[in-house]
């Protein structure tokens, strides 16, 4: 059993400290963090709490799931391991022009491979 918990449904007003204080009802909180958007700094509405023992984590799940924190009912579940992400910041390759036969351009001059030298002189 894991002692790290996922907490969903958080108010934008919830802070790391208020999350820690709320979960201390169930035992000793090893860490508490509200996840915020890296661009705006605003809460993303969820966070993670790590309890000192598995028993305290289980107690927090049963006693605090569905309870109200800062005006919102929260969901408390076991945290899943973070999934491996692919690649860097390419985000799917958009904005670099079209694919093989796309004449819309976007940085490449609006032509495709067939428009360039076809194996001989053009003139």
């Amino acid at each position: 059993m894991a002692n790290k918990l996922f907490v969903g449904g958080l108010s934008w007003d919830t802070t790391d400290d208020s999350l820690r204080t709320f979960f201390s009802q169930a035992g000793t909180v090893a860490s508490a963090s509200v996840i915020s958007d890296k661009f705006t700094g605003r809460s993303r509405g969820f966070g993670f709490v790590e309890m000192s023992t598995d028993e305290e984590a289980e107690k927090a799940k049963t006693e605090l799931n569905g309870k109200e924190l800062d005006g919102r009912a929260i969901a408390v579940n076991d945290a899943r391991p973070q999934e491996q992400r692919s690649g860097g910041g390419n985000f799917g390759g958009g904005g670099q022009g079209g694919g093989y036969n796309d004449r819309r351009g976007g940085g490449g001059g609006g032509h495709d491979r067939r428009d360039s030298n076809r194996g001989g002189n053009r003139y």
Side-chain angles (χ1 to χ4, degrees):
M1 160 122 337
N3 56 0
K4 188 166 188 179
L5 303 171
F6 169 84
V7 185
L10 295 176
S11 164
W12 288 339
D13 297 327
T14 302
T15 64
D16 293 354
D17 288 336
S18 64
L19 190 61
R20 176 184 295 276
T21 301
F22 185 77
F23 272 80
S24 66
Q25 302 172 56
T28 305
V29 177
S31 67
S33 60
V34 175
I35 305 304
S36 57
D37 183 270
K38 66 180 177 181
F39 298 112
T40 65
R42 192 161 105 182
S43 168
R44 294 188 59 199
F46 68 94
F48 295 95
V49 174
E50 188 172 4
M51 303 300 288
S52 292
T53 66
D54 291 343
E55 293 76 23
E56 290 173 335
E58 192 61 37
K59 183 179 178 186
K61 281 193 308 185
T62 57
E63 291 184 5
L64 303 179
N65 186 39
K67 296 284 177 155
E68 195 170 294
L69 171 62
D70 294 330
R72 300 212 34 181
I74 61 169
V76 182
N77 298 296
D78 286 325
R80 296 188 308 232
Q82 186 174 10
E83 293 181 13
Q84 193 71 359
R85 294 185 183 192
S86 63
N90 193 6
F91 299 108
Q96 295 296 320
Y100 165 66
N101 198 17
D102 188 355
R103 294 176 183 259
R104 286 178 284 169
H111 64 278
D112 62 50
R113 213 168 68 171
R114 293 175 295 171
D115 292 336
S116 59
N117 189 354
R118 293 181 183 229
N121 291 334
R122 287 187 152 192
Y123 302 105

